[in-house]
Amino acid sequence: STQSTGRNNSFKKMNVLFVLLISLSIVSAHVNECDSDGSCDGVNEFGRVTCGSVIKLRNIRTNYRLHSHEVSYGGSGSGQQSVTAVQAVDDTNSLWTVLGTEREPCAAGDALKSGSVVRLRHVSTRKNLHSHLHKSPLSAHQEVSAFAGNGDIGDSGDDWIIELNNGEYWQREQSVRLRHRDTGKYLETDARYRFGNPIPGQLEVYGQGSKTSNGNWAAAEGIFFKALD
């Protein structure tokens, strides 16, 4: 019908717009980077990472990006959806939406400070970055997974505390650590721990009990909302 055709055309236009936004954001993500010391005074009005941003998290030491997919941990651990790090820049399975928590809700554009608590929702599978008291399969550190507990809401195992190495507000390309609220472990990856099939070359992501250079991340490509005043 004419009405059905109109809806299909509208849906196609929305998809095209979303792809264009992703492409423009990926290009612009490198225009205003922070200095090597973590200061970000020169970034523009979209330079902050705010609630609602859709980002790729780049591990600074390895230059790999936080990633997930419909591949579960098998043979050991929780059996939940695996979280890894990949070298590819253009993989859409590395996109995560920055959200508030049940205790600390936030609106799109709300600034995020050191100490803010967030959830990272995997765009493709709608599961949250999660951790718990299971051993990771390669390093035997704490497992990090993607999990959809309590329906779409999630649970406390999805809560991560932002720890900035410099500055008050989280900025694009600024060094940041993510500490798991329930267990106190830091989100890390290490080039020594590489998976074989079915995800060859991808790095293990895990929780580490102390701060190391493997736990420094930066928001790289993505869609960024203008920070609210």
Side-chain angles (χ1 to χ4, degrees), residues 3 13 69 72 93 120 128 153 179-180 187 198 206 208:
Q3 186 177 6
K13 288 178 181 178
H69 37 226
S72 299
N93 275 330
L120 297 177
N128 295 333
I153 299 173
R179 179 165 56 89
H180 190 239
L187 186 73
Y206 54 85
Q208 166 66 269

Side-chain angles (χ1 to χ4, degrees), residues 146-224:
F147 182 63
N150 195 20
D152 242 9
I153 299 173
D155 59 33
S156 63
D158 306 336
D159 296 350
W160 298 85
I161 302 169
I162 297 168
E163 292 189 2
L164 302 177
N165 294 323
N166 292 284
E168 181 180 6
Y169 294 99
W170 188 6
Q171 308 275 6
R172 289 160 57 179
E173 290 295 348
Q174 178 185 20
S175 179
V176 61
R177 297 178 189 273
L178 293 172
R179 179 165 56 89
H180 190 239
R181 178 152 67 178
D182 275 0
T183 64
K185 305 292 186 182
Y186 287 92
L187 186 73
E188 289 200 356
T189 191
D190 191 321
R192 294 177 297 172
Y193 305 122
R194 294 179 183 269
F195 286 103
N197 290 329
I199 47 175
Q202 296 186 21
L203 306 184
E204 179 184 75
V205 172
Y206 54 85
Q208 166 66 269
S210 58
K211 295 181 181 180
T212 79
S213 58
N214 292 321
N216 292 317
W217 300 82
E221 306 82 13
I223 298 174
F224 297 85

Side-chain angles (χ1 to χ4, degrees), residues 4-20:
S4 177
T5 302
R7 284 198 299 267
N8 289 336
N9 289 336
S10 297
F11 181 72
K12 289 177 182 178
K13 288 178 181 178
M14 289 177 64
N15 280 340
V16 170
L17 179 60
F18 182 75
V19 171
L20 286 173

Side-chain angles (χ1 to χ4, degrees), residues 17 21 24 28 30 40 55 62-63 83 92 122 125 128 137-138 142 144 155 164 174 185 224:
L17 179 60
L21 285 169
L24 288 171
S28 65
H30 300 283
C40 304
I55 65 173
T62 64
N63 210 33
V83 170
T92 56
H122 189 237
T125 63
N128 295 333
L138 301 183
Q142 184 167 292
V144 173
D155 59 33
L164 302 177
Q174 178 185 20
K185 305 292 186 182
F224 297 85

Side-chain angles (χ1 to χ4, degrees), residues 27-34 40 42-47 172-173:
V27 171
S28 65
H30 300 283
V31 173
N32 294 297
E33 296 185 349
C34 298
C40 304
V43 297
N44 63 17
E45 61 187 2
F46 294 95
R172 289 160 57 179
E173 290 295 348

Side-chain angles (χ1 to χ4, degrees), residues 75-102:
S76 64
S78 67
Q80 294 175 6
Q81 182 172 301
S82 60
V83 170
T84 62
V86 298
Q87 191 172 25
V89 176
D90 58 353
D91 194 327
T92 56
N93 275 330
S94 300
L95 286 168
W96 302 81
T97 304
V98 183
L99 302 171
T101 72
E102 290 178 272

